[in-house]
Amino acid sequence: MTSLLHMDASASGCGDSITRELTAFYADTWRCLHGSDGYRYRDLAADPVPLVSPAFVSLGIRVERHGAVPLQKVAEMTAGPAEEREWTLTLPLIEEMRAAETVLIGVPMYNFSVPASLKAWIDRVTFPGAFVDPGTGDRLLRETTVVVVTARGGCYAPGTPREDFDFQTPYLRAYFTELGVAPQNLHFVHAEMTRASDVPALAHFKPLAADSLAAARTAVSELARRPAGSGTATRMR
Ligand SMILES: Cc1cc2nc3c(=O)[nH]c(=O)nc-3n(C[C@H](O)[C@H](O)[C@H](O)COP(=O)(O)O)c2cc1C
């Protein structure tokens, strides 16, 4: 069965968030094609993943020292209730990620980077060895498709004055490729200049914002119709 893990990180609610609108459009399209059985949703802003604690770190270090540890053995390696609690919080996130053929994430730009709610998920799910086969060393996410849908109040497209302020896309590209996602299965869709309608100084960028949003909708619709893992390297604007 094909599967989609859909996550949103915008602090804004459905009616006000561009990323939520775009990821919902993707998810609706995907469910029309595949049904709802393989669909999972996680709202990282409304239901935040707890920040990692000293017990998370101590458990992770102990597991790393053992080398390759199967996930099902980690519970036996916990030392006390605090580490048990950390593992109880962490394991379902890892299993959810490993089970997904496609991971769809709505990511607003906050202060040139990603929201803290997404960073909290990243820090927790990236437990030592979580995405590597302990027997073979194979990376488990090679076939996983990741679609990142961003929205930014300004514009950070190549060639624009703010291009070098984008610590969101390069960070997530580095993170997911390092995690084992194949570059051709990692897709970015950007809605630029989303604050043009609210900020008077940006009003003259309204046409750019409208074009960018329309292009993002087209890109999302196209990606949602693709079979998982069939990617060619794309960088959509
Ligand atoms: C806390 C916060 C920080 C933001 N920082 C930036 C920023 O650094 N650069 C930018 O272009 N827009 C910034 N914005 C604007 C958002 O990126 C923009 O409103 C985007 O559409 C938010 O995504 P959403 O519509 O899905 O909520 C920020 C907005 C908030 C609420």
Side-chain angles (χ1 to χ4, degrees):
M1 180 179 59
T2 189
S3 53
L4 173 67
L5 170 60
H6 169 190
M7 295 187 285
D8 281 313
S10 174
S12 298
C14 278
D16 296 321
S17 162
I18 301 287
T19 54
R20 285 179 188 276
E21 179 205 314
L22 289 168
T23 60
F25 181 37
Y26 183 116
D28 288 347
T29 307
W30 188 93
R31 280 190 302 247
C32 279
L33 291 169
H34 304 289
S36 294
D37 286 353
Y39 174 76
R40 297 209 54 152
Y41 181 69
R42 186 171 284 279
D43 191 331
L44 296 171
D47 186 13
V49 169
L51 297 180
V52 296
S53 73
F56 176 94
V57 178
S58 58
L59 178 61
I61 289 172
R62 190 172 315 112
V63 167
E64 269 185 319
R65 285 183 181 149
H66 272 75
V69 176
L71 277 191
Q72 60 272 25
K73 297 270 180 205
V74 174
E76 297 165 19
M77 297 174 67
T78 53
E83 288 191 4
E84 278 169 28
R85 178 179 171 273
E86 288 297 317
W87 188 237
T88 302
L89 290 169
T90 305
L91 180 59
L93 302 179
I94 295 170
E95 289 177 328
E96 199 172 65
M97 179 76 178
R98 281 171 46 151
E101 275 188 278
T102 300
V103 179
L104 167 70
I105 318 178
V107 188
M109 177 181 276
Y110 284 175
N111 298 301
F112 308 120
S113 186
V114 302
S117 59
L118 176 60
K119 187 60 167 53
W121 176 83
I122 285 175
D123 287 347
R124 185 168 286 283
V125 83
T126 319
F127 190 82
F131 301 104
V132 177
D133 185 308
T136 62
D138 287 347
R139 306 176 103 198
L140 298 174
L141 302 184
R142 288 300 296 173
E143 306 296 324
T144 306
T145 295
V146 174
V147 178
V148 177
V149 178
T150 82
R152 302 90 100 78
C155 183
Y156 301 81
T160 60
R162 290 260 164 160
E163 178 182 1
D164 290 345
F165 286 62
D166 179 2
F167 296 93
Q168 181 190 37
T169 312
Y171 166 64
L172 291 173
R173 191 180 294 284
Y175 171 70
F176 282 113
T177 51
E178 185 63 19
L179 204 62
V181 176
Q184 66 270 22
N185 293 334
L186 177 57
H187 307 279
F188 287 86
V189 177
H190 302 290
E192 310 270 11
M193 209 51 91
T194 61
R195 303 301 308 281
S197 297
D198 308 311
V199 179
L202 298 179
H204 57 295
F205 288 119
K206 282 184 194 174
L208 188 160
D211 287 351
S212 179
L213 184 56
R217 284 195 184 111
T218 302
V220 157
S221 167
E222 195 264 313
L223 284 167
R225 288 167 208 279
R226 277 195 204 183
S230 70
T232 49
T234 51
R235 184 178 174 87
M236 302 200 178
R237 290 248 165 226

